[in-house]
Amino acid sequence: MDGRRADALVAHLIRADGEEDLCFATWRPSTGRHRQTAIIMDPVLPEAGERHVHGNASYESGYALRAARVAAERCEGLVFMHAHPRGSGWQPLNEIDARAEASIANLARGLTGLPLVGMTLGGNDRSWSARAWDRGAGREIACTHCESVRVIGRHLHVTFNDTLRPRPVIQPSQQRTVHAWGDDVQASLARLRVLVAGAGSVGLHVVESLARAGVQHIAVMDFDRVEFVNLDRLSSATRLDALLRRPKVDLARRILGQAATAGYPLHELLETSVCEPAGLEALLDFDLVFSCVDRPWPRHVLNTVAYADLLPVIDGGLRLEAGSQGGMRNAYWRSHVVTAGRPCLACIGQYDPSDVQLERDGSLDDPVYIAGLPSNSPLRVNQNVSALSIAAASALLNQFLSLVVAPSGMGDPGPLRQRLATHKIDHLDVSCVDGCPYAASIGDGDKRLDPTAPHARADRMRASDSRRIKLLRSLLDSMDRAMLGGATGLARLVAPVR
Ligand SMILES: [Zn+2]
Ligand SMILES: [Zn+2]
């Protein structure tokens, strides 16, 4: 849920007199590949006489019926919430609460077509727990406990279900990291499911830092291949990789394998794009996304889910200006978190929505079209410098730490731009324009306008490997594993081009 709604719910549920309270709200589905998320929408607060506060709060059946009808009218599901004023952390479902929720679960599903979501608020630390009454029917109706509840306010506050997603054991290799922020922050950070979209010069540095910090579940998505022109900035890439046209996600695999400090790491390499239906579906399984892409279409997709699905996206980018008489005029790198309560990528100026169609119809891959663009068009610039990619990655990671670790309780700083020539950081005072469609789509979930389509360039790239090159890659990989004790062992033997 977004922080503004969470604040309103907490204000209602946590009473000054310390008594338990309750209310209803509505939810919308956001469906990933393996995960179903319920996006909490507006509360349906009790009217006079609809609920009673006396130790254990109770409500009149008319209130449940009214709230279920409101949800049905909005084509949303029903949520029942109550508080444990002195509770902390994930609240187990006791028998009384289970019976109370089961008693309205059939009604809720019957009227709305969606399972009832039950939620408990722990008053001590504003922790939420949740379950969906999605199994069985009638007297046999049963719930599935959720894995986590995410609230995106000034920072990302996640309550984890310690049974389904246990606190990871701190590893000796993580001591210095954990000393920086303590066990609890580490337990939250390590359990976030993080996707890095784009395994390029910025993305691969982000991947390494996340793995070293102990994040357990990291996925990397890219369909592109290593080329010789990438070797000046692509972390861990070798001449052999360029010769074999290795998928960039193979570099991510190598980096993750070497850098991971988590006890039970889960790494996923996805040779797809967020612009493809399967890519979007995979994206919705994650708690947070790093946008290390540089084209308008993937940015549009990420901007869409940042609001429609309340999925925080950490985006940034690098722009270099060559001097007209040679030399460098300046370099800029930007970083920002986009999701509810923050300006979107289109309004910040990170991409122009009218360019999305140019990418979808293939114009951006047409050399004739590109040659016709002005020399300073963001669609044709291709300068890049390794040191500055690292700076851009660092700016993204700083936003991540502000959002998740929230030093001194401060969240992410808003959009930042750093300038190399003067070494200044600008806070960009931007908000979404009136009528911004992204800001208006908060919580749309599965009702979002579908930003995906078949992706011709990704299809071509995946189909471009000859059988010989695939065979050679897998042969070298197995030799590498068997004989040289490391993914880069054999690569080091290949002499540099002189
Ligand atoms: Zn209770
Ligand atoms: Zn906007």
Side-chain angles (χ1 to χ4, degrees), residues 20 56 82-84 94 97 120:
E20 259 192 53
N56 291 323
H82 76 287
H84 289 168
N94 63 43
D97 291 344
T120 314

Side-chain angles (χ1 to χ4, degrees), residues 51-221:
R51 65 91 161 73
H52 312 286
V53 180
H54 43 67
N56 291 323
S58 64
Y59 57 88
E60 298 291 323
S61 56
Y63 178 29
L65 194 61
R66 179 173 72 84
R69 283 193 179 128
V70 170
E73 274 164 27
R74 295 180 188 163
C75 300
E76 294 170 1
L78 185 68
V79 190
F80 173 68
M81 304 178 162
H82 76 287
H84 289 168
R86 281 164 292 281
S88 317
W90 192 273
Q91 301 291 296
L93 186 65
N94 63 43
E95 239 176 78
I96 300 169
D97 291 344
R99 245 183 283 131
E101 290 183 7
S103 72
I104 47 169
N106 289 298
L107 166 92
R109 196 163 56 184
L111 280 180
T112 67
L114 289 167
L116 173 78
V117 171
M119 295 186 79
T120 314
L121 170 65
N124 258 349
D125 56 358
R126 292 180 63 149
S127 57
W128 291 93
S129 32
R131 54 259 151 210
W133 290 83
D134 58 354
R135 291 182 291 128
R139 284 167 180 273
E140 304 298 312
I141 199 153
C143 69
T144 303
H145 291 276
C146 298
E147 182 190 87
S148 63
V149 178
R150 294 166 277 147
V151 177
I152 178 73
R154 265 335 306 163
H155 51 91
L156 177 64
H157 180 267
V158 185
T159 315
F160 287 98
N161 181 340
D162 293 334
T163 310
L164 294 180
R165 196 146 173 76
R167 283 172 76 101
V169 176
I170 306 286
Q171 304 293 313
S173 56
Q174 297 167 345
Q175 267 184 31
R176 302 271 168 108
T177 300
V178 177
H179 281 167
W181 46 56
D183 294 12
D184 288 342
V185 168
Q186 181 67 16
S188 273
L189 181 138
R191 283 184 285 182
L192 288 176
R193 299 188 185 275
V194 183
L195 174 78
V196 179
S201 56
V202 174
L204 289 174
H205 287 297
V206 169
V207 166
E208 177 172 351
S209 276
L210 295 173
R212 292 202 186 277
V215 176
Q216 290 177 305
H217 185 180
I218 302 172
V220 185
M221 192 185 281

